Amino acid sequence: MRRTFLTTLLAGALLTGLAGAVPVKLGTLPLSLEPNAKLLTLNQAGIAQAYPSAAGRPDAVFLTEDRKVTMSFEWRQGKLSGADVTKLVSQFPSVIRSQVPNLKSLKSGTLESGGSTWAQFVFTTPGKTDDLRREMLVTSLQGRMFVITVAGTVKDYSRNEAVVQSLLRSIKLD
């Protein structure tokens, strides 16, 4: 349902293209990144429509050029210290298992990017024509939890992996 709604929404004029390779600030988030010309961004009106609940609404959403993979950025109010990021790797998988029905696979670990440690969770669930792939990257940003969620099917992610990974590698937290 959400995917169909988002696809319909994206057909409207709620997207803008991005210039490439010049670091830019991302709204009010204390970070910068280097957008890629092969990415689109959902404007604030589009984000509000796609995520009607303010409680779970991301601060920014990027889409691959084919509109098949989304990358949402959410700076949550919940506290998270830098030292607690690695603890999430052992604690959060049980939360995912309890909240995600029909979980097929789940991998967790840490990675270093942009001078920060990130907890990484990659999981798949069955889809209509292909498995759905979700990746959550979590770090501490000014003492609060910062979450990036990458969502698409396994095949769509594979086709767009280079563009997605390029954007994620370009993130610099302030």
Side-chain angles (χ1 to χ4, degrees):
M1 169 82 176
R2 183 181 204 93
R3 181 131 173 110
T4 304
F5 174 74
L6 190 56
T7 303
T8 303
L9 177 67
L10 299 178
L14 299 175
L15 295 169
T16 57
L18 295 172
V22 176
V24 296
K25 292 291 290 171
L26 190 55
T28 59
L29 296 174
L31 62 88
S32 61
L33 51 75
E34 293 179 13
N36 183 306
K38 292 187 176 195
L39 289 173
L40 304 169
T41 185
L42 195 57
N43 68 23
Q44 290 303 309
I47 292 171
Q49 280 187 299
Y51 302 87
S53 171
R57 186 175 298 145
D59 299 286
V61 177
F62 293 93
L63 297 100
T64 54
E65 194 172 39
D66 63 4
R67 297 177 172 98
K68 302 285 185 173
V69 179
T70 61
M71 292 151 284
S72 62
F73 293 67
E74 185 180 357
W75 196 26
R76 298 182 180 173
Q77 291 297 321
K79 302 292 183 207
L80 181 67
S81 72
D84 289 334
V85 171
T86 55
K87 293 177 187 175
L88 287 176
V89 174
S90 62
Q91 296 170 348
F92 201 59
S94 63
V95 174
I96 294 172
R97 284 185 184 94
S98 70
Q99 293 182 351
V100 178
N102 302 318
L103 190 65
K104 287 184 76 170
S105 68
L106 171 61
K107 297 176 188 172
S108 61
T110 59
L111 60 92
E112 297 292 324
S113 183
S116 298
T117 301
W118 296 76
Q120 179 185 37
F121 308 94
V122 179
F123 53 98
T124 59
T125 56
K128 288 182 181 180
T129 59
D130 187 17
D131 287 345
L132 302 176
R133 180 192 186 277
R134 301 288 181 266
E135 178 175 0
M136 293 178 64
L137 298 162
V138 183
T139 195
S140 175
L141 180 57
Q142 297 182 359
R144 290 170 44 191
M145 183 180 283
F146 181 65
V147 180
I148 301 172
T149 303
V150 181
T153 67
V154 171
K155 289 177 188 170
D156 291 334
Y157 177 81
S158 292
R159 279 193 299 270
N160 289 287
E161 184 174 7
V163 172
V164 171
Q165 290 303 314
S166 176
L167 179 72
L168 296 176
R169 281 191 306 273
S170 78
I171 296 170
K172 303 288 186 257
L173 305 178
D174 295 342

